[in-house]
Amino acid sequence: MRGLVTAALWVACTGMAAANVAEPVQDSAPQVVSGGFGPTFGEAVAAYRAGDTGAAFAQFLILARQDMPQAQFNLALLFRAGEGVPQNRREALYWAWRARIGGLPQAGVLVADLAPTVDPDQRGGLADRLLADLAPARNAADGRMIAASALIEAELRSEPDAVQVYVWYSIAAALSASGA
């Protein structure tokens, strides 16, 4: 399967003009997760295309919790549009950030679109949640996740802790992390 998120899915879920859509994501993720148990990404996309948004949501959620950025991105789109789940821009922003952290370029566009629609206090809570998600990787000296922590602190909070951002970026740079 070539496109993980097609332009049509992006436009349908976000209402954004096709001219603002990034190129479709290529399928670089494994199609079978959990040792062969659970949904595949292709099955989740097929459920969405068949109009079964509830099943698509459930399948994307399983895959998103297994750190598949493409599934996290689609979950964000479903939360944003309220397809298969009640609309929830805070959860959409959370999953868009997870996809962005996972390296999905399209997620940055979605994060930028969603961030102004979420209350600053809720964004602070999301920063806490995301930083907690990344704590094990930071503790294991994963430079990329340390740099991601700095980015979350700098961009998601209305009043970021500049010292913490500097420390995390400095550590990430010392570990030769990309983007530090």
Side-chain angles (χ1 to χ4, degrees):
M1 169 174 229
R2 277 202 57 184
L4 297 180
V5 179
T6 64
L9 178 59
W10 174 265
V11 173
C13 291
T14 64
M16 298 176 81
N20 296 330
V21 176
E23 287 297 311
V25 179
Q26 297 303 305
D27 187 359
S28 59
Q31 287 296 303
V32 178
V33 295
S34 300
F37 301 102
T40 65
F41 191 86
E43 290 168 345
V45 171
Y48 179 83
R49 289 184 178 153
D52 191 351
T53 57
F57 172 82
Q59 292 170 357
F60 284 133
L61 181 61
I62 290 167
L63 297 168
R65 287 179 174 163
Q66 295 173 359
D67 292 327
M68 181 184 284
Q70 299 87 350
Q72 293 165 341
F73 180 81
N74 280 342
L75 202 58
L77 293 175
L78 293 174
F79 269 118
R80 184 183 189 278
E83 289 191 87
V85 64
Q87 186 178 47
N88 186 327
R89 292 183 183 269
R90 185 187 69 237
E91 281 300 298
L93 183 57
Y94 170 78
W95 288 108
W97 263 100
R98 290 288 306 263
R100 183 179 181 190
I101 293 165
L104 202 63
Q106 293 87 335
V109 175
L110 187 56
V111 164
D113 181 58
L114 286 166
T117 69
V118 176
D119 179 81
D121 289 336
Q122 290 182 336
R123 288 195 309 266
L126 286 177
D128 293 339
R129 184 175 167 195
L130 288 162
L131 292 172
D133 291 348
L134 298 183
R138 281 194 313 273
N139 293 339
D142 181 331
R144 194 170 79 77
M145 293 302 115
I146 294 170
S149 296
L151 185 65
I152 290 165
E153 182 68 30
E155 290 189 9
L156 200 50
R157 292 196 193 277
S158 56
E159 295 183 28
D161 181 342
V163 172
Q164 185 64 66
V165 171
Y166 176 78
V167 168
W168 277 333
Y169 273 135
S170 296
I171 294 168
L175 294 170
S176 301
S178 175

